[in-house]
Amino acid sequence: MIDFIVLGQPVPKGRPKFARRGKNVVAYTPAKTVAYETLVQRAAGAAMAGREPTVRPVRLVVSLALQVPASWSKKRQAMAIAGAIRATKKPDADNVLKGLKDGCNGIVWRDDAQVVSIELSKAYGAMPHAAVSIQELDGEAA
């Protein structure tokens, strides 16, 4: 079992951007996405403590704690942190999950296709972060 926390507001995986370079068109990943995936890689690498990436199927449990909007009243902020107000605004949890999975490639597992079970939740929290738990499962990879 591997557990780690990525501190800071969870960032959704951005769509590729395109730029013209002379006669060619090049695709690139947005800087915000690259920065977040780097945070994920560092946290995952520290949790792995030098172990090799698994080749087995894995179960992934992710809990996202989003920053409460500063524009909300103190009462509304307290309600959000207590769970009385659900985090139904952006970022989309599945888009954040994509960035987390891509950040773990080559560190925790060889490829994110090895993730066969996912539990994902999103809520407001006093300190924004993504808590990640990965468990190897019995059975062989295809």
Side-chain angles (χ1 to χ4, degrees), residues 30-44:
K32 202 170 180 181
T33 298
V34 171
Y36 190 67
E37 287 180 6
T38 301
L39 284 176
V40 173
Q41 290 168 351
R42 287 184 186 147

Side-chain angles (χ1 to χ4, degrees), residues 6 8-10 63-68 121-131:
V6 182
Q9 178 71 3
S63 177
L64 303 174
L66 304 180
Q67 185 172 352
V68 180
S121 63
K122 177 175 86 165
Y124 289 114
M127 185 175 74
H129 67 274

Side-chain angles (χ1 to χ4, degrees), residues 28-140:
Y28 65 94
T29 305
K32 202 170 180 181
T33 298
V34 171
Y36 190 67
E37 287 180 6
T38 301
L39 284 176
V40 173
Q41 290 168 351
R42 287 184 186 147
M48 287 296 287
R51 288 180 282 177
E52 289 293 314
T54 185
V55 295
R56 297 178 61 191
V58 297
R59 171 176 163 46
L60 177 61
V61 178
V62 177
S63 177
L64 303 174
L66 304 180
Q67 185 172 352
V68 180
S71 61
W72 287 5
S73 69
K74 297 282 186 200
K75 180 181 177 185
R76 190 163 169 81
Q77 287 181 13
M79 289 174 61
I81 291 172
I85 298 175
R86 300 289 184 156
T88 58
K89 303 290 183 184
K90 291 193 182 264
D92 293 352
D94 59 331
N95 289 338
V96 174
L97 178 65
K98 289 175 192 174
L100 290 168
K101 286 171 59 180
D102 287 347
C104 289
N105 279 342
I107 297 172
V108 178
W109 48 65
R110 288 195 179 159
D111 188 82
D112 55 11
Q114 292 170 243
V115 178
V116 297
S117 174
I118 298 170
E119 182 180 324
L120 177 62
S121 63
K122 177 175 86 165
Y124 289 114
M127 185 175 74
H129 67 274
V132 180
S133 181
I134 300 157
Q135 177 185 10
E136 286 185 341
L137 298 175
D138 292 334
E140 254 181 65

